[in-house]
């Protein structure tokens, strides 16, 4: 047996183990969601059923936690995306000597444990509400949005920095030379270039908020989200209804990813078609000019 054959065999075994480790739990969870057994198990398979999805839909605490998580995720996107974009733009404007210090400051929330962020957010805003009288801030939803946005905005900033690294600054200079204001340059030149990064940052921010537990469990106070409800249920003992929830979340994620890829490919195809049309028109114009010059 040659060395190349051994290498291929070992690579095949590694790939099988890797994908089994990655997707094995998902497959097991998917089977348990459709098994009639009252305990999550794949063997013995007592029969196919969709009843656990009905049990999940009738669970008021689970549905409330899901709605609250979706609402908090939406608010976190509204806060963290503009903050992250502003932080990235400031990063490109500060002096090079201060840039490393500024980067350390704005990225530090990512390095801070979520438990510390959650507790410090509650303590700080409790004192702030007592001093200012703004009691509406000391609310579980508001505190969770503030706590999560403090580190999720750093994630979005990193996405924007990666996009800004490919931005041609001469476009801004040309627009300013032509009489455009700073606001017009941002709206008509920079913002269209940043749209793909804004979409990616919004998705990352929402998913980071939706699955967060460490920060949320302290900042949410007496309220609850889907992750806190799930944590409480796991301590009491799991049921196939939780597997049904996981299957539903995975299905929505996969469908969303497929739709996003379809839309992305269609946009790329349209862009290529527009570029091809413009190139044909340009070549036709060059041919017409050459023919006119020859005739003259």
């Amino acid at each position: 047996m040659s060395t190349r054959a051994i290498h291929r065999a070992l690579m095949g075994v590694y790939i099988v183990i890797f994908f089994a480790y990655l997707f094995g739990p998902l497959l097991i969870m998917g089977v348990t969601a459709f098994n009639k057994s009252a305990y999550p198990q794949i063997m013995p398979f007592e029969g196919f059923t969709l009843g656990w999805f009905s049990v999940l839909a009738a669970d008021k605490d689970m549905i409330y936690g899901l709605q609250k998580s979706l609402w908090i995720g939406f608010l976190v996107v509204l806060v963290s995306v503009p903050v992250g974009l502003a932080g990235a733009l400031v990063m490109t404007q500060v002096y090079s000597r201060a840039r490393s210090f500024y980067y350390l400051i704005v990225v530090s929330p990512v390095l801070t444990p979520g438990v510390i962020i959650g507790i410090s957010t509650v303590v700080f805003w409790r004192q702030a509400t007592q001093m200012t009288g703004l009691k509406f801030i000391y609310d579980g939803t508001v505190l969770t949005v503030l706590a999560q946005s403090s580190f999720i905005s750093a994630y979005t900033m990193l996405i924007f920095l990666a996009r800004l690294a490919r931005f041609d600054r001469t476009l801004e200079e040309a627009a300013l030379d032509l009489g455009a204001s700073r606001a017009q340059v941002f709206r008509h030149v920079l913002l269209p270039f940043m749209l793909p990064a804004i979409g990616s940052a919004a998705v990352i921010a929402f998913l980071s908020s939706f699955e967060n537990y460490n920060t949320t469990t302290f900042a949410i106070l007496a309220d609850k989200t889907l992750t806190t409800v799930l944590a409480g249920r796991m301590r009491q003992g799991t049921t196939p209804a939780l597997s049904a929830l996981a299957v539903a979340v995975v299905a929505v994620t996969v469908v969303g990813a497929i739709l996003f890829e379809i839309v992305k490919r269609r946009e790329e195809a349209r862009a290529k078609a527009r570029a091809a049309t413009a190139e044909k028109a340009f070549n036709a114009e060059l041919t017409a000019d050459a023919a006119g010059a020859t005739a003259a």
Side-chain angles (χ1 to χ4, degrees):
M1 194 172 184
S2 64
T3 305
R4 179 175 297 181
I6 295 175
H7 176 75
R8 288 181 179 178
L10 292 176
M11 183 61 67
V13 172
Y14 170 78
I15 292 175
V16 170
I17 295 175
F18 174 79
F19 282 103
Y21 176 80
L22 189 64
F23 295 108
L26 296 178
L27 294 176
I28 295 174
M29 176 196 64
V31 174
T32 60
F34 299 101
N35 191 356
K36 287 183 178 180
S37 173
Y39 184 79
Q41 62 183 20
I42 59 175
M43 295 298 292
F45 191 79
E46 299 180 3
F48 181 84
T49 181
L50 297 176
W52 295 115
F53 291 91
S54 300
V55 173
L56 175 64
D59 193 327
K60 295 182 179 180
D61 288 341
M62 199 76 72
I63 297 302
Y64 175 82
L66 176 61
Q67 293 173 347
K68 181 64 70 171
S69 294
L70 294 174
W71 175 239
I72 290 175
F74 173 74
L75 295 178
V76 168
V77 170
L78 293 183
V79 174
S80 60
V81 171
V83 171
L85 179 59
L89 293 177
V90 172
M91 174 72 75
T92 62
Q93 301 297 325
V94 297
Y95 294 108
S96 57
R97 293 182 178 179
R99 193 167 297 167
S100 58
F101 177 74
Y102 173 80
Y103 182 82
L104 176 65
I105 295 298
V106 296
V107 177
S108 59
V110 178
L111 308 177
T112 306
V115 175
I116 303 300
I117 293 177
I119 295 176
S120 60
T121 300
V122 173
V123 172
F124 174 81
W125 287 107
R126 181 173 58 188
Q127 297 296 325
T129 52
Q130 292 176 355
M131 295 175 59
T132 61
L134 301 176
K135 296 183 178 180
F136 72 94
I137 298 179
Y138 197 70
D139 176 77
T141 300
V142 177
L143 291 176
T144 303
V145 171
L146 293 174
Q148 291 184 0
S149 300
S150 64
F151 68 91
I152 293 178
S153 59
Y155 292 149
T156 62
M157 187 197 71
L158 295 176
I159 296 175
F160 293 135
L161 286 175
R163 181 68 175 175
L164 285 172
R166 297 157 49 189
F167 181 64
D168 187 1
R169 292 293 176 184
T170 58
L171 297 176
E172 285 185 343
E173 297 174 359
L176 292 173
D177 291 341
L178 292 174
S181 63
R182 290 286 181 179
Q184 290 175 329
V185 171
F186 175 78
R187 186 169 62 253
H188 297 292
V189 178
L190 183 60
L191 194 59
F193 177 80
M194 296 297 295
L195 281 180
I198 292 175
S200 300
V203 173
I204 295 298
F206 179 82
L207 295 178
S208 300
S209 171
F210 187 81
E211 59 84 26
N212 181 264
Y213 175 76
N214 292 336
T215 301
T216 303
T217 191
F218 290 96
I220 199 66
L221 299 180
D223 210 343
K224 50 192 173 183
T225 62
L226 181 61
T227 53
T228 59
V229 173
L230 287 174
R233 293 294 176 82
M234 292 298 295
R235 284 192 288 266
Q236 299 172 3
T238 182
T239 66
L242 302 183
S243 299
L245 174 64
V247 170
V249 172
V250 171
V252 171
T253 304
V254 171
V255 171
I258 292 174
L259 292 177
F260 175 79
E261 188 66 23
I262 291 174
V263 173
K264 180 181 178 181
R265 291 189 178 184
R266 287 182 177 179
E267 290 180 351
E268 291 177 352
R270 291 174 183 173
K272 290 181 180 179
R274 288 194 296 266
T277 302
E279 184 178 359
K280 290 180 180 179
F282 180 73
N283 292 334
E285 185 177 353
L286 289 179
T287 302
D289 292 343
T294 302

